[in-house]
Amino acid sequence: MAVLSKIRQRSFFLIIIIALALFSFVLADVIQSGTFNSSTNNVGSVNGTDIEAQEFMQNVSMIEKQGQGTTSTQAMNSAWEQEVRKIILSSEFEKLGLKIGNEQLINVIKQNPNLAQNPQFLNAAGQFDENKFKEFLKGIKNAPDQSQWLEWKEFEKNIERFAVEQMYNTMIKSGVYTTKAEGKFQYKTENDKADFEYISVAFSTVNDDQVKVTDAEIIDFMKKSPKKYKSDNTTSIDFVLVENKPSKEDEQAMLSSIGEIRAKFDSVANVGEFVNANSDIKFDSTYLAKKDLPLDYQEQLFNLPVNAIYGPYVFNGHQCISRMIKRKSNASVKASHILLAYKGAPQSSATRTKEEAQALANDLLAQAKANPGNFAMLAMTNSDDPGSKNNGGEYDNIMPGQMVPKFNDFVFNNPIGTIGVVETEYGFHVIKVLDKYDAVLMGTVAQKIQPSEATIDAIYTKASQLEADANENKDFAAVAKKAGLELVPATNLKGFDEYIQGIGSQREIIRWSFNKDTEIGDVRRFDVPQGFVIAKLKDRNETGLLPIDIARQSVEPLIKNQKKAEIIKKKMNGSSLEAVAKSSGASIQIATSISLKAPVLPNIGNEPKVVGKAFGLASGKTSEIIEGNSGMFMVRAKTVTKAPEVTSYATYITQDRSQNQSYAISKAYIALKDKAEIKDYRANF
């Protein structure tokens, strides 16, 4: 009682202490969650312009709805690229003073078929009427319900942005031109030819064991060209998958259950009702061709007598038993045809007349009957059907009603091997019936193979224990091995990635690996559709360069070649080709008619440094040792044959200008993006 009394006496102070503790907790959570941290309210920023999270996620949702099959992460990445591009280009438009007036906006609107061809805005002559369009805008602007007006204003912004971007692109393209001198250079690059002798000692003559490459050397190499080896921040994890799969006892219990169902399946009168009552997959009344049945059981299932049962068998994660209900003869057809279209027929670009098409069809019919085995070749060389001509005119598994009526009637009403001509609205068809298939109607009880509750509990316990052991033991590989599980590395994960190889879409794991609270060495268990993943954060790469294990694939061969070059140089002693050939054991080769545009050495490959050196040497002069793409070289020039002068280089000028203009727009944006200060917080979402 004395203790209670003291508590009551000091209750006010306790309330204050508890309140302060709660406030501290909430404050910490607020700071952590980002109420005072702008990065949480923003998905990122571009040159100081924030990308606000709420509006951004609305765009993500819209993209996800518009793109069928688009995942949320794919939609997010698409929305991010759109937003970054919009901010970067809008800034450029503003600097250049690019904008469009009302007249230009109307002209752009006229090019939009959804508006320009809308009957609501057409005059009596069927032309777009600006006054009608302006009256429509005035009406929705003054309407009590402003939703349509707001939608229009947003649409107008998009139209304006599109039009301004087109102006910007036109300006860039207009600033790109090719001079006569550049056209002449392109001509000579392609047509000047060099003959020379050379010696080559390939890098492959030095064993890789002689040139080891360290991680430090790879990092130093990348630092020399940081833009080339630039990378987003990445993480690497190790993980194990504890699969949520049935035990042997579960499988035995399912076999027993499906066996009981099979015993009843024999005698039921209504197969569809029985399947729906006992199967995880509902009854399907579609007739199936043999090729549509499960591949491993096609023969057994297709050849079942009516009312006979096959199974149990395992297919697509289910224990199955199937009963033959009916069989239908000639349910589908395989046929080849040659379409001879004529001018005016639907979807036809042919110039022949209808009479010419019919005469050609009859001629091909005679050829096909004389040599039926040549039908496919006749189709490939004569048919106007782009959907089948490259396949010898063949259509397989044609179902009743799939083709136009006359075509349909011919293939279903004639025996295999028949060849004839049919006229449809598309033209004249020379048709050969290749095969006919029976189809079957089956009732299949399919029960999903899944673990029992006891097995699920055991799997959960195993995963939890593995998580605890991994947290206690630094050697995650040893823990996984002891549990009989495979440790899988996942490297080069980016903050905006979605998939992890081996376990599919795992946005939550990737987000965890980038979370600032997650430290290297931390372990966590995740629920996944396959069971449980226990992941350990192995590394974070925030250097701005490629991770070592990724960079090694492309950088290591280059560093090795540099080291091999030094070894080979020591072997190539002498100032003449003959002396170097003797010291290195290489032979003197001859290259003839090589151009700068295609600097390819026979049996070696692309070697622009070597060919360039040959063009620059005086006749009879010998080069120093050259480090090429595939090895070390020495060159002795023979002759350079200059291309004859021409009166006009217009073809080369046009080609070069067109190529450069097509690159200029994308290159300009890439340059602006590289220069921009972009902060990306997508890893938090």
Side-chain angles (χ1 to χ4, degrees):
M1 293 296 293
V3 173
L4 290 173
S5 176
K6 287 181 180 180
I7 290 174
R8 280 195 295 269
Q9 290 170 10
R10 299 178 183 179
S11 60
F12 175 76
F13 298 103
L14 284 171
I15 291 168
I16 293 296
I17 291 167
I18 292 169
L20 286 171
L22 285 171
F23 178 76
S24 299
F25 177 80
V26 171
L27 181 62
D29 187 60
V30 164
I31 294 171
Q32 183 62 42
S33 64
T35 303
F36 299 142
N37 180 354
S38 62
S39 69
T40 302
N41 292 326
N42 301 318
V43 181
S45 66
V46 180
N47 292 331
T49 300
D50 291 332
I51 300 174
E52 198 273 329
Q54 184 176 355
E55 183 178 342
F56 178 81
M57 295 311 291
Q58 288 173 353
N59 291 339
V60 171
S61 179
M62 189 182 304
I63 292 171
E64 198 172 355
K65 289 176 183 175
Q66 290 172 347
Q68 192 172 8
T70 302
T71 67
S72 58
T73 304
Q74 290 169 337
M76 180 183 289
N77 294 340
S78 177
W80 171 262
E81 291 302 326
Q82 288 178 15
E83 198 65 30
V84 169
R85 182 180 180 87
K86 183 175 79 174
I87 294 171
I88 289 174
L89 291 182
S90 295
S91 174
E92 291 301 299
F93 301 159
E94 189 175 344
K95 289 176 188 175
L96 295 167
L98 290 180
K99 57 180 69 176
I100 63 170
N102 290 333
E103 288 185 11
Q104 288 172 297
L105 183 63
I106 290 292
N107 287 332
V108 175
I109 287 169
K110 285 179 180 178
Q111 296 172 21
N112 186 315
N114 293 327
L115 296 172
Q117 297 173 15
N118 190 323
Q120 188 176 354
F121 308 131
L122 302 183
N123 58 24
Q127 302 296 316
F128 182 80
D129 190 321
E130 289 184 27
N131 291 326
K132 284 190 173 185
F133 179 70
K134 289 176 180 177
E135 282 299 317
F136 165 76
L137 291 183
K138 185 178 179 181
I140 63 172
K141 182 179 180 180
N142 297 326
D145 182 0
Q146 288 286 284
S147 59
Q148 196 172 1
W149 172 248
L150 293 174
E151 285 179 11
W152 167 256
K153 293 303 291 181
E154 188 62 34
F155 179 64
E156 193 176 85
K157 282 182 188 177
N158 291 332
I159 292 176
E160 185 175 356
R161 191 178 299 118
F162 171 78
V164 172
E165 186 168 341
Q166 292 302 105
M167 290 167 58
Y168 176 74
N169 292 344
T170 301
M171 287 175 61
I172 291 175
K173 289 174 70 174
S174 299
V176 177
Y177 61 92
T178 298
T179 64
K180 180 180 177 181
E182 289 170 321
K184 181 178 180 179
F185 175 77
Q186 292 295 331
Y187 166 75
K188 293 185 71 61
T189 298
E190 184 176 319
N191 294 287
D192 285 357
K193 306 291 183 181
D195 296 342
F196 55 92
E197 298 171 300
Y198 67 94
I199 285 173
S200 168
V201 181
F203 291 132
S204 58
T205 60
V206 179
N207 291 331
D208 283 353
D209 292 344
Q210 295 178 251
V211 283
K212 300 293 184 183
V213 178
T214 66
D215 289 352
E217 287 175 317
I218 290 175
I219 292 171
D220 288 342
F221 188 94
M222 289 193 291
K223 284 181 177 178
K224 292 175 184 176
S225 306
K227 286 187 178 180
K228 185 176 181 180
Y229 298 103
K230 181 181 177 182
S231 171
D232 296 298
N233 291 345
T234 61
T235 61
S236 297
I237 65 170
D238 288 333
F239 71 88
V240 294
L241 173 62
V242 184
E243 287 188 88
N244 206 8
K245 58 184 181 182
S247 65
K248 290 181 179 179
E249 291 78 12
D250 296 336
E251 291 175 357
Q252 192 58 47
M254 286 201 69
L255 278 172
S256 177
S257 172
I258 203 91
E260 292 174 6
I261 291 172
R262 173 176 175 143
K264 299 174 184 175
F265 204 10
D266 241 340
S267 56
V268 296
N270 192 319
V271 174
E273 283 185 7
F274 185 84
V275 168
N276 288 336
N278 293 279
S279 178
D280 293 326
I281 299 174
K282 298 305 178 186
F283 176 70
D284 185 354
S285 60
T286 305
Y287 278 83
L288 301 174
K290 184 177 180 179
K291 70 180 186 61
D292 298 323
L293 297 172
L295 182 62
D296 291 341
Y297 310 101
Q298 278 180 1
E299 293 296 332
Q300 299 93 320
L301 291 170
F302 191 75
N303 294 318
L304 276 177
V306 173
N307 290 325
I309 293 177
Y310 179 77
Y313 61 94
V314 176
F315 176 66
N316 201 21
H318 291 75
Q319 285 276 7
C320 305
I321 49 173
S322 297
R323 176 173 162 179
M324 178 68 71
I325 301 173
K326 289 181 183 177
R327 183 180 298 275
K328 185 190 291 183
S329 299
N330 299 334
S332 63
V333 176
K334 179 179 181 182
S336 283
H337 85 129
I338 305 167
L339 171 62
L340 288 316
Y342 50 83
K343 188 175 181 179
Q347 302 176 19
S348 171
S349 58
T351 56
R352 66 174 74 95
T353 64
K354 184 175 181 179
E355 292 72 20
E356 289 171 337
Q358 186 173 17
L360 180 55
N362 289 331
D363 179 53
L364 291 171
L365 173 64
Q367 293 183 51
K369 285 186 172 181
N371 185 5
N374 197 40
F375 194 95
M377 185 57 67
L378 290 175
M380 292 176 71
T381 53
N382 293 281
S383 182
D384 293 322
D385 177 10
S388 68
K389 69 176 296 179
N390 293 331
N391 194 32
E394 185 179 300
Y395 282 105
D396 197 7
N397 202 32
I398 302 168
M399 303 301 291
Q402 182 179 334
M403 299 298 193
V404 290
K406 290 183 179 179
F407 192 112
N408 180 85
D409 292 346
F410 183 89
V411 297
F412 279 97
N413 296 337
N414 285 288
I416 296 169
T418 303
I419 303 175
V421 172
V422 166
E423 181 185 354
T424 73
E425 60 264 40
Y426 295 100
F428 294 90
H429 306 257
V430 184
I431 304 174
K432 180 181 180 182
V433 181
L434 298 175
D435 204 353
K436 296 195 174 186
Y437 307 123
D438 290 350
V440 295
L441 175 63
M442 308 198 78
T444 298
V445 174
Q447 295 189 340
K448 187 172 178 60
I449 301 171
Q450 53 192 2
S452 63
E453 288 187 14
T455 300
I456 292 171
D457 290 343
I459 292 168
Y460 175 80
T461 301
K462 181 177 181 179
S464 300
Q465 186 60 52
L466 187 63
E467 179 187 18
D469 292 345
N471 272 308
E472 291 176 9
N473 190 335
K474 291 184 178 180
D475 192 345
F476 192 21
V479 172
K481 186 176 181 180
K482 184 179 178 181
L485 296 167
E486 179 186 5
L487 186 73
V488 182
T491 60
N492 199 34
L493 300 175
K494 297 181 177 65
F496 46 84
D497 281 347
E498 179 178 8
Y499 292 94
I500 298 176
Q501 189 171 0
I503 49 176
S505 178
Q506 296 298 338
R507 184 72 194 138
E508 186 183 356
I509 297 177
I510 293 170
R511 194 162 45 232
W512 167 78
S513 74
F514 279 88
N515 193 306
K516 296 301 181 185
D517 289 340
T518 306
E519 298 180 358
I520 293 173
D522 281 0
V523 176
R524 183 174 162 186
R525 185 188 71 249
F526 296 89
D527 292 1
V528 298
Q530 305 97 310
F532 300 95
V533 165
I534 292 83
K536 181 175 183 176
L537 181 60
K538 185 178 181 180
D539 189 28
R540 274 202 184 104
N541 174 34
E542 298 175 340
T543 64
L545 299 172
L546 288 173
I548 293 292
D549 55 334
I550 300 298
R552 186 173 286 277
Q553 298 170 23
S554 58
V555 173
E556 185 176 47
L558 300 178
I559 299 175
K560 282 187 173 182
N561 285 348
Q562 288 179 350
K563 293 185 175 186
K564 289 179 179 182
E566 295 303 316
I567 296 172
I568 293 171
K569 270 185 186 179
K570 294 175 183 178
K571 297 179 182 179
M572 297 176 74
N573 297 318
S575 57
S576 68
L577 283 190
E578 288 76 14
V580 173
K582 185 176 180 180
S583 64
S584 64
S587 58
I588 298 175
Q589 306 290 323
I590 298 175
T592 57
S593 297
I594 307 296
S595 72
L596 285 169
K597 187 170 184 178
V600 178
L601 299 182
N603 303 317
I604 291 179
N606 195 50
E607 291 292 352
K609 285 185 185 178
V610 179
V611 175
K613 178 62 72 173
F615 270 90
L617 288 172
S619 178
K621 294 294 183 181
T622 302
S623 74
E624 72 282 5
I625 295 172
I626 307 162
E627 183 177 335
N629 292 335
S630 60
M632 305 300 287
F633 294 82
M634 182 177 271
V635 172
R636 182 162 63 205
K638 293 180 74 177
T639 59
V640 174
T641 304
K642 300 290 186 180
E645 296 293 327
V646 294
T647 56
S648 172
Y649 300 101
T651 301
Y652 291 89
I653 291 171
T654 302
Q655 183 179 344
D656 189 66
R657 182 176 62 242
S658 176
Q659 185 178 40
N660 289 336
Q661 284 181 340
S662 65
Y663 291 154
I665 295 169
S666 60
K667 292 291 185 184
Y669 174 69
I670 290 169
L672 291 169
K673 188 177 179 182
D674 285 343
K675 186 180 176 183
E677 183 184 354
I678 299 174
K679 295 179 180 178
D680 187 351
Y681 307 135
R682 277 178 290 170
N684 299 329
F685 291 83

